[in-house]
Amino acid sequence: MHIDIKNLETFIQVAELSSFTRAAEKSGYSQSTVSFQIQQMEKSLGFPLFERINHTVSLTGKGREVLEYAHQIRQLTQELERQLHKKPDVHGHIRIAMADSLCSWLLKDDFFLFRNQFPGITLKIISASTEEMFRLLNQNEVDMVYTLDKHIYDRTYRIASEEKVSAHFVAGTRISLPKGKSLSLKELTAHPFLLTEKGMSYRRIMDEKLASLSLEIHPVLETGNADLICRLVEQGMGISFLPDYVTKEAVVSGSIRYLHINDFEIDIWKQLLYHHDKWLSPQMQAVIDYLSEKHTLSLGQIP
């Protein structure tokens, strides 16, 4: 059995894009050449790699097994090339879809360390709802997604990193609320609220919990900029519900405080995921390592 490396590369492209036409466009080959390369592989292996039904292309069970080996072969080949040519620098463009409030957390403070270590990597960050993130991921329009939502587990995706996130209702010191006392949600909803957009990540989870208790919040301001909300809360403009990594510095400085609410618990997770069929390139691995380290250094809870 002999498999040409070029055919293997084409196979990975077709698997990732679920399309012979799009694989041909990306690789610069004609569609007939792509089809011929896949046919050569299938003939050599003795079984079909793709199911072709009604103009759709999907991997067969055996095809998924071959894809696992194809990724390993590609990674070993690139590692060999790097060692032989002594090119330690990693280059490439990575597209990440993520929750809006994660953007500033990702880029502030120590992002310059990432740039110093990987100057050849460029990033494109797309803010999106969780549903839109996975649409982009499934169509290979992004390389990975960084969610802030309920815990997601689906065998279609690989979890590169995950962390449970604490979130609290918060208020500035100028807001008149009893200190050291647990509040009811009904009491809380009487105050003006500043929230992220409706239907987005942890805001949606909060709204679902409130709805289960027959409660609803009508905010005076909605914006995707969680840091701006935090600053406005510090100024006494209203109450908000935010992840602790957004508010910790303000809580430590004493400009805002956590509000203890009776019977209100929700689970929120930060998860970095990529598609099961996606090849884990050196530049993707570098970004994953950076974000995983951000997890380990992420700001903890405050009592």
Side-chain angles (χ1 to χ4, degrees):
M1 180 181 68
H2 172 74
I3 298 177
D4 192 287
I5 292 294
K6 289 183 179 179
N7 292 354
L8 205 64
E9 290 282 349
T10 299
F11 166 64
I12 292 172
Q13 293 283 358
V14 175
E16 289 185 354
L17 298 170
S18 298
S19 168
F20 282 72
T21 302
R22 291 171 66 189
E25 291 172 353
K26 188 169 182 178
S27 62
Y29 295 136
S30 66
Q31 187 171 341
S32 60
T33 298
V34 169
S35 297
F36 178 70
Q37 289 176 320
I38 298 302
Q39 288 170 6
Q40 279 187 318
M41 280 191 64
E42 291 177 328
K43 184 177 180 180
S44 179
L45 291 167
F47 51 78
L49 296 168
F50 297 99
E51 291 180 341
R52 305 161 178 85
I53 302 173
N54 293 330
H55 304 291
T56 63
V57 177
S58 59
L59 285 164
T60 62
K62 285 286 189 182
R64 288 189 178 280
E65 292 180 23
V66 173
L67 185 62
E68 293 279 352
Y69 288 108
H71 284 163
Q72 293 177 37
I73 292 169
R74 187 194 225 182
Q75 190 167 358
L76 288 170
T77 301
Q78 292 204 343
E79 179 62 29
L80 176 62
E81 289 177 352
R82 285 198 300 272
Q83 292 296 326
L84 291 176
H85 297 291
K86 296 183 179 179
K87 292 181 178 179
D89 293 339
V90 179
H91 292 78
H93 184 62
I94 297 298
R95 306 157 300 170
I96 312 172
M98 67 171 59
D100 204 31
S101 64
L102 285 172
C103 293
S104 60
W105 173 81
L106 168 66
L107 297 173
K108 70 178 182 180
D109 298 335
D110 60 350
F111 184 64
F112 74 95
L113 296 175
F114 175 82
R115 289 291 301 139
N116 287 340
Q117 187 175 356
F118 301 105
I121 295 180
T122 58
L123 298 177
K124 180 177 181 179
I125 296 176
I126 302 167
S127 297
S129 67
T130 303
E131 182 180 357
E132 176 65 6
M133 287 185 209
F134 283 98
R135 185 193 70 77
L136 294 169
L137 190 64
N138 290 335
Q139 296 185 8
N140 201 39
E141 293 179 32
V142 296
D143 301 298
M144 60 185 84
V145 299
Y146 207 7
T147 65
L148 189 64
D149 212 308
K150 295 177 180 177
H151 190 271
I152 296 165
Y153 177 74
D154 185 325
R155 293 182 66 182
T156 307
Y157 313 107
R158 297 184 188 275
I159 300 173
S161 184
E162 63 180 22
E163 177 189 30
K164 194 171 183 179
V165 175
S166 295
H168 286 84
F169 288 100
V170 290
T173 54
R174 300 177 188 178
I175 295 286
S176 179
L177 287 168
K179 294 184 179 180
K181 175 188 171 184
S182 292
L183 303 169
S184 70
L185 281 168
K186 192 170 183 179
E187 288 178 283
L188 202 65
T189 55
H191 292 270
F193 264 82
L194 317 170
L195 295 173
T196 51
E197 297 113 316
K198 192 174 182 64
M200 300 289 278
S201 61
Y202 55 89
R203 162 75 190 276
R204 191 194 74 255
I205 300 172
M206 180 201 72
D207 283 341
E208 289 173 356
K209 176 67 174 180
L210 289 171
S212 72
L213 300 170
S214 301
L215 293 171
E216 186 177 5
I217 291 173
H218 298 284
V220 297
L221 173 69
E222 292 178 291
T223 173
N225 191 328
D227 286 335
L228 173 60
I229 292 174
C230 185
R231 290 197 296 273
L232 292 173
V233 170
E234 288 182 87
Q235 295 168 19
M237 299 301 296
I239 291 171
S240 190
F241 180 73
L242 293 168
D244 291 357
Y245 66 81
V246 174
T247 60
K248 184 176 180 180
E249 290 182 9
V251 172
V252 169
S253 70
S255 57
I256 68 174
R257 58 193 172 101
Y258 292 157
L259 304 177
H260 298 285
I261 310 302
N262 292 323
D263 302 321
F264 190 86
E265 291 185 8
I266 59 175
D267 288 335
I268 304 172
W269 287 78
K270 276 189 301 194
Q271 288 183 286
L272 182 64
L273 306 100
Y274 61 96
H275 201 281
H276 184 279
D277 297 336
K278 184 77 175 176
W279 174 60
L280 189 58
S281 65
Q283 55 268 31
M284 273 185 66
Q285 186 64 64
V287 172
I288 286 171
D289 290 345
Y290 166 70
L291 294 177
S292 297
E293 186 173 350
K294 289 282 285 184
H295 275 319
T296 61
L297 297 175
S298 64
L299 301 174
Q301 299 182 29
I302 296 185

